[in-house]
Amino acid sequence: MPQLAPLADLSSFLALDPTQRLALAAPLAESLGTEFRALTALAGAGGMLAVEHIPSGVQLIAVPGGAFDMGLTEADKAEIRQCVDYDSGAIQSTLQRFEQTCSPVHRVAVSPFLLSVAHLKPDQVAKVSTGLPRSDILEPHTAAAFMKQANVFRLPSEAELEWVGREGGAVAFLNDGGRVWSKTHQWPNANAWGFAVLSFAAWTADQWHDNYEGAPAAAVPWTDGGPPSVYRGTLMEAPNTEVELLFGLSASRGRMVDQEEDEWPVGLRIARSISV
């Protein structure tokens, strides 16, 4: 829809004043169908558009498109230096492990999409899919089932979640938490775009790859046809140490193959593409 053209590019959207942004809410909801309604307030300090999926009550934020450098970047390292004792052995050892799985850094183009403000609750999972159990913790096979049974939604890609975590490239840490934690030892629960608990593990549609060699240049799921096995959000509690803080980086990624009782619980955020 021509009215939604500013959502194609983050800089174009951010150039709009709040009134102009809210004027996009009604045509956005209309483009999505009768099960959606526009929210009348902008989300987060960044002033983002939001809609609600009426049957489930799930609120979603419209994420503008753009491009960013995915992976552990030099800009990330510069910000890390401001937050921790960068040259300590523990920090360097952890960063080396990150670099093994978060490189090479590569440019990724992102198309606009919707993403749920928070993880879905059990009853919401059932309302956005057909036949999926009422559970907010998914194992790989149920995450794969969601991809087939979701009604109008899908799992986000790994690149989409990193774009959101970076707030379009503005920050290195989720919720800009590195700067906050280094000063207060507190971890913020939401980012400037209005997304809650991004540091909690959430499924992506991607299969695990040990690094980004051969990764797509668009923010689409990187899969060979198997079930999803990548989650984003590797910090379930506020960090107590500088090493733990590194797991709040937007670039941090995790792998899940089979869910065991003592393993990290991986929840569900939902996404939907936006046509502009």
Side-chain angles (χ1 to χ4, degrees), residues 4 40-41 75 110 204 207 220 238 259 270:
L4 302 181
T40 56
V110 185
T204 76
Q207 282 183 258
V220 296
Q259 180 81 52
I270 53 175

Side-chain angles (χ1 to χ4, degrees), residues 14-99:
L14 295 180
L16 301 178
D17 64 33
T19 301
Q20 292 171 317
R21 295 182 191 186
L22 280 174
L24 301 176
L28 173 60
E30 181 183 354
S31 74
L32 297 169
T34 57
E35 291 190 336
F36 292 83
R37 71 177 184 92
L39 298 183
T40 56
L42 295 174
M48 311 302 282
L49 279 181
V51 298
E52 182 179 51
H53 180 240
I54 299 169
S56 65
V58 174
Q59 294 187 353
L60 305 104
I61 292 171
V63 179
F68 75 110
D69 291 329
M70 184 174 177
L72 186 65
T73 68
E74 292 302 316
D76 290 346
K77 295 174 186 177
E79 188 167 327
I80 292 168
R81 287 181 183 275
Q82 299 174 20
C83 301
V84 303
D85 179 5
Y86 188 84
D87 295 321
S88 76
I91 293 295
Q92 286 299 308
S93 176
T94 303
L95 286 176
Q96 286 175 8
R97 294 200 301 272
F98 273 50
E99 287 183 322

Side-chain angles (χ1 to χ4, degrees), residues 195-254:
F195 291 99
V197 293
L198 286 170
S199 55
F200 286 15
W203 281 107
T204 76
D206 301 61
Q207 282 183 258
W208 177 263
H209 295 80
D210 290 337
N211 56 50
Y212 291 142
E213 292 286 352
V220 296
W222 190 13
T223 176
D224 302 319
S229 53
V230 183
Y231 62 87
R232 283 303 185 106
T234 58
L235 185 67
M236 291 292 283
E237 299 178 351
N240 291 312
T241 67
E242 291 186 343
V243 168
E244 289 179 3
L245 177 65
L246 296 184
F247 290 90
L249 284 165
S250 299
S252 181
R253 53 200 299 257

Side-chain angles (χ1 to χ4, degrees), residues 31-185:
S31 74
L32 297 169
T34 57
E35 291 190 336
F36 292 83
R37 71 177 184 92
L39 298 183
T40 56
L42 295 174
M48 311 302 282
L49 279 181
V51 298
E52 182 179 51
H53 180 240
I54 299 169
S56 65
V58 174
Q59 294 187 353
L60 305 104
I61 292 171
V63 179
F68 75 110
D69 291 329
M70 184 174 177
L72 186 65
T73 68
E74 292 302 316
D76 290 346
K77 295 174 186 177
E79 188 167 327
I80 292 168
R81 287 181 183 275
Q82 299 174 20
C83 301
V84 303
D85 179 5
Y86 188 84
D87 295 321
S88 76
I91 293 295
Q92 286 299 308
S93 176
T94 303
L95 286 176
Q96 286 175 8
R97 294 200 301 272
F98 273 50
E99 287 183 322
Q100 290 175 356
T101 60
C102 303
S103 65
V105 174
H106 56 294
R107 194 72 173 167
V108 176
V110 185
S111 297
F113 64 100
L114 295 174
L115 183 69
S116 58
V117 170
H119 289 207
L120 270 62
K121 299 174 183 178
D123 62 321
Q124 292 175 326
V125 175
K127 290 176 180 177
V128 300
S129 62
T130 302
L132 209 64
R134 289 175 176 264
S135 174
D136 57 346
I137 303 300
L138 303 188
E139 299 178 19
H141 71 278
T142 48
F146 177 83
M147 295 172 67
K148 297 178 180 178
Q149 297 171 5
N151 296 329
V152 296
F153 296 106
R154 58 177 174 80
L155 292 178
S157 72
E158 189 176 1
E160 286 175 332
L161 288 186
E162 186 165 327
W163 172 248
V164 167
R166 291 183 177 278
E167 298 170 25
V171 300
F173 285 88
L174 299 172
N175 312 336
D176 203 12
R179 301 181 212 272
V180 175
W181 187 89
S182 64
K183 295 176 181 178
T184 67
H185 276 216

